[in-house]
Amino acid sequence: MESEKENWNALMGMFRRSSWAPLLLLFTLITVISLQFTSNPLYSIRVVISGASIPDTQSLDQESCGGGFFVGSTERKFVMSIKDFGGVGDGKTSNTETFRRAVQFMQRFGDKGGAQLNVPRGRWLTGSFNLTSNFTLFLEKGAIILGSQDPDEWPIIEPLPSYGRGRERLGGRYISLIHGDFLTNVVITGKNGTIDGQGKMWWDLWWNRTLKHTRGHLVEIMNSQNVLISNLTFLNSPFWTVHPVYCSNVVIRDLTILAPLNAPNTDGIDPDSCTNVCIEDCYIESGDDLVAVKSGWDHYGIAMARPSSNIIVRRVSGTTPTCSGVGIGSEMSGGIFNVTVDQLHVWDSAAGLRIKTDKGRGGYIANITISNIKMERVKVPIRFSRGSNDHPDDGWDPKAVPYVKGISISNVVSVNSTKAPVLQGIEDAQFEDICMKNVSLLGLGPSAAWHCEYVSGFTSRMTPLPCPQLQNSGSSSRCSFS
């Protein structure tokens, strides 16, 4: 605060000393007025000369893995409220066209200092709307964005090229509630405001087998760079909650993501064919993986060849009774490499760490480093799985098998596990250099034993003893911690 005050006093002093200051202020006023008259409504625009810093935004300093990833700006010169566009926060009035009109209007400020749309306290019902570049969507304390219960307010869009069809149904898919494509420097944040997808309607359609198209995500950002999503609560997503796809330089931090534990496929955060991603300090309860790294589905993903790489997941905690704390795959056909998972805490879950592949996937998973993991009452703490028989269409190639190499897992404690690790590779595929050290699986019954097929690697200081395939001394030289 003191530094901002000193900067402001210095700026005012410069204005008082400079003869051109009145001309500058006059020019600014004329510019704003002229911008207002370029559209029919006269919206109230607040111009902040020193830049509109996001209040309470956590700095992306050296303690954040996002410090070197997000290189955009969080300052916006033009700040407006959804109320300026006639928005009504009563939880009943549809604000779909209001949000769309607001973002379209504020798009004009993208190259003039950027724009920030504030959503104040209230319940703001809306269908899907798109974001723009050099833009911040800011939810103030007590602000709740509610997903519309009218499917017509979630338009149908083309399937992702790396999937070839909707993930659940053939053809297109419902757009996400908050969407963006080909953007740069976009921020979704606030003072712990809430985005509630009201997903029960969509879950019922899925359970009743009456879903016509693949469900939409709560937030999906595509083909974009310099994306920051922080300090919000996400509730009840229809499908995967936060889905960056074909993006680079993405930071997702300080989120609370909640869905009923039986809500189908409500993954927390799914970086998909992305590079340079930081996910940290998030709490997640969902009906699927807390975090799942993906890169395309079978032959479509192989053809696109857009890998996920340089991804950091740390200080994430939560529970999922059906899936895993961190999953790699199962859609991984474009390749996944250089993933770091650190300080993960998972409880009452089906699996802790899971690598999911299958015949037909092709692709590769390489250089995965996992450390400092705590699990409680997790059924299978470490699992490599196959055989989902899940393919987009008849075009998949059964000879396309994945290549898995360089999986390092260390400093793991699992309490009250039900089963020993299950590591199922794929026949005629390479699952090698699986390295584990300091892994303690406590509370297993005396008959619990590792189950390993088509894998090889090296282990050290393991409780209980691992399977023979992981006692290969020839692999120890290729383990970074050996």
Side-chain angles (χ1 to χ4, degrees), residues 328-406:
I328 310 293
S330 67
E331 308 89 337
M332 40 64 64
S333 304
I336 296 172
F337 68 97
N338 290 354
V339 176
T340 299
V341 179
D342 184 41
Q343 300 178 64
L344 174 71
H345 182 197
V346 186
W347 58 90
D348 296 324
S349 299
L353 308 167
R354 190 176 181 188
I355 291 179
K356 298 181 282 185
T357 61
D358 208 349
K359 287 185 177 180
R361 291 292 193 260
Y364 56 89
I365 297 173
N367 196 20
I368 311 297
T369 302
I370 300 171
S371 60
N372 302 318
I373 311 300
K374 180 181 179 181
M375 306 182 217
E376 301 168 80
R377 300 174 302 280
V378 171
K379 185 176 181 180
V380 183
I382 302 170
R383 184 170 188 178
F384 295 5
S385 59
R386 64 169 191 250
S388 62
N389 196 28
D390 180 18
H391 308 288
D393 53 40
D394 293 337
W396 70 281
D397 180 4
K399 296 181 180 179
V401 293
Y403 173 63
V404 178
K405 182 175 182 178

Side-chain angles (χ1 to χ4, degrees), residues 447-465:
S447 62
W450 291 55
H451 178 74
C452 302
E453 295 179 355
Y454 309 116
V455 298
S456 64
F458 169 80
T459 56
S460 173
R461 291 187 288 219
M462 306 288 290
T463 303
L465 288 175

Side-chain angles (χ1 to χ4, degrees), residues 215-285:
R215 291 168 284 163
H217 310 292
L218 202 52
V219 175
E220 182 178 69
I221 307 296
M222 303 173 52
N223 300 299
S224 300
Q225 59 183 347
N226 293 322
V227 178
L228 172 62
I229 304 174
S230 69
N231 204 33
L232 293 170
T233 295
F234 291 90
L235 303 178
N236 304 316
S237 177
F239 194 42
W240 304 344
T241 305
V242 180
H243 185 223
V245 57
Y246 317 140
C247 291
S248 62
N249 298 91
V250 178
V251 176
I252 301 170
R253 67 193 310 252
D254 294 291
L255 299 185
T256 299
I257 299 175
L258 305 175
L261 298 180
N262 64 346
N265 309 110
T266 49
D267 298 33
I269 303 169
D270 288 10
D272 196 341
S273 292
C274 290
T275 186
N276 295 341
V277 179
C278 166
I279 300 169
E280 65 182 0
D281 298 314
C282 295
Y283 177 83
I284 305 171
E285 295 181 3

Side-chain angles (χ1 to χ4, degrees), residues 286-353:
S286 78
D288 213 296
D289 295 325
L290 306 186
V291 176
V293 182
K294 302 177 180 291
S295 69
W297 195 10
D298 283 9
H299 47 295
Y300 296 106
I302 294 171
M304 190 167 184
R306 186 79 177 263
S308 278
S309 64
N310 299 339
I311 295 175
I312 300 173
V313 180
R314 66 179 193 171
R315 298 193 298 268
V316 170
S317 61
T319 181
T320 169
T322 59
C323 290
S324 54
V326 171
I328 310 293
S330 67
E331 308 89 337
M332 40 64 64
S333 304
I336 296 172
F337 68 97
N338 290 354
V339 176
T340 299
V341 179
D342 184 41
Q343 300 178 64
L344 174 71
H345 182 197
V346 186
W347 58 90
D348 296 324
S349 299
L353 308 167

